[in-house]
Amino acid sequence: DAKTTQPPSMDCAEGRAANLPCNHSTISGNEYVYWYRQIHSQGPQYIIHGLKNNETNEMASLIITEDRKSSTLILPHATLRDTAVYYCIGGFGNEKLTFGTGTRLTIIP
Amino acid sequence: GAVVSQHPSRVICKSGTSVKIECRSLDFQATTMFWYRQFPKQSLMLMATSNEGSKATYEQGVEKDKFLINHASLTLSTLTVTSAHPEDSSFYICSARDSVGQFFGPGTRLTVL
């Protein structure tokens, strides 16, 4: 798996967009960027993944830079329930995933 | 997304006993499942890869005789913590792979007294 770097913590006001950055400068050409989140005392929840193109689903948007060295996860309208640890992982979903320390996102009322 | 369940959600046992944790893929078949462990305020650490019909592959430092893994069907993998001790107290999480990616169970909190 590619090594990823994320800020340890971020705050975001409720109702605003939360933008979570991730650096993955060593990612290989065919490795995906996966985002998961973990709410306290629960298993990780899949959010989104992408290879080269930007992706959007009902939970979030994923913006990947053209050189694929970094990406940003966007939660368009953050709610208190989005408070969690967010993990950015480079790799293949059908192989083992290596979790880093992630970003602890706190949504402020 | 695909649904993965775990049972039990939490278990408390005495030191020296064995505990079995089940991981099931509910709406898909999974030839490969993964077992993770998470200590308080730490990230998930992969313990082993469970392959249906064959032996599990353990990560370095994980004792295979301590953590027995059985993947007897395409929807069920079990992790047995043998002769559990207080240092085995942790949050155990499984994941299963489908054609899209990996999906995680809700976790099992093990407390060994």
Side-chain angles (χ1 to χ4, degrees):
Chain A
D1 292 349
K3 178 176 170 57
T4 61
T5 304
Q6 299 177 253
S9 64
M10 291 181 63
D11 291 341
C12 178
E14 186 179 15
R16 305 296 293 266
N19 296 280
L20 292 89
C22 178
N23 287 321
H24 34 77
S25 57
T26 62
I27 197 169
S28 67
N30 50 358
E31 281 185 303
Y32 286 80
V33 178
Y34 287 87
W35 283 85
Y36 287 84
R37 72 181 182 185
Q38 186 178 26
I39 296 170
H40 183 62
S41 295
Q42 298 182 24
Q45 177 188 22
Y46 166 82
I47 301 174
I48 199 167
H49 75 282
L51 184 62
K52 295 181 181 179
N53 300 322
N54 298 336
E55 302 288 344
T56 296
N57 61 20
E58 64 277 6
M59 290 183 67
S61 294
L62 175 61
I63 308 299
I64 303 174
T65 58
E66 193 168 340
D67 62 9
R68 296 204 344 115
K69 292 185 177 180
S70 66
S71 61
T72 301
L73 178 75
I74 301 172
L75 307 178
H77 304 287
T79 70
L80 297 178
R81 287 181 292 182
D82 292 323
T83 292
V85 178
Y86 287 76
Y87 296 99
C88 166
I89 303 170
F92 303 96
N94 59 353
E95 296 178 355
K96 60 183 182 181
L97 298 177
T98 302
F99 283 77
T101 53
T103 295
R104 181 172 297 278
L105 175 66
T106 302
I107 306 302
I108 310 297
Chain B
V3 180
V4 177
S5 71
Q6 280 184 243
H7 178 81
S9 57
R10 59 177 63 231
V11 56
I12 301 172
C13 69
K14 293 182 179 180
S15 185
T17 61
S18 294
V19 175
K20 180 184 285 188
I21 302 170
E22 294 184 348
C23 177
R24 294 181 184 273
S25 55
L26 297 185
D27 50 1
F28 66 102
Q29 294 183 329
T31 55
T32 303
M33 293 184 177
F34 302 90
W35 287 96
Y36 296 79
R37 180 169 54 181
Q38 185 175 33
F39 292 107
K41 297 188 178 182
Q42 294 186 23
S43 188
L44 283 76
M45 295 295 295
L46 180 68
M47 299 175 66
T49 302
S50 170
N51 301 297
E52 188 267 336
S54 64
K55 292 183 179 180
T57 304
Y58 290 82
E59 295 300 298
Q60 190 172 10
V62 178
E63 301 175 56
K64 62 180 182 180
D65 295 330
K66 171 79 172 175
F67 299 99
L68 301 179
I69 292 172
N70 184 281
H71 193 157
S73 78
L74 289 172
T75 58
L76 173 64
S77 175
T78 60
L79 169 69
T80 301
V81 183
T82 62
S83 187
H85 288 94
E87 57 266 29
D88 298 322
S89 297
S90 188
F91 193 48
Y92 291 85
I93 308 167
C94 72
S95 70
R97 191 187 83 193
D98 75 353
S99 58
V100 174
Q102 279 190 48
F103 297 90
F104 289 79
T108 296
R109 185 160 303 282
L110 170 63
T111 303
V112 184
L113 302 177

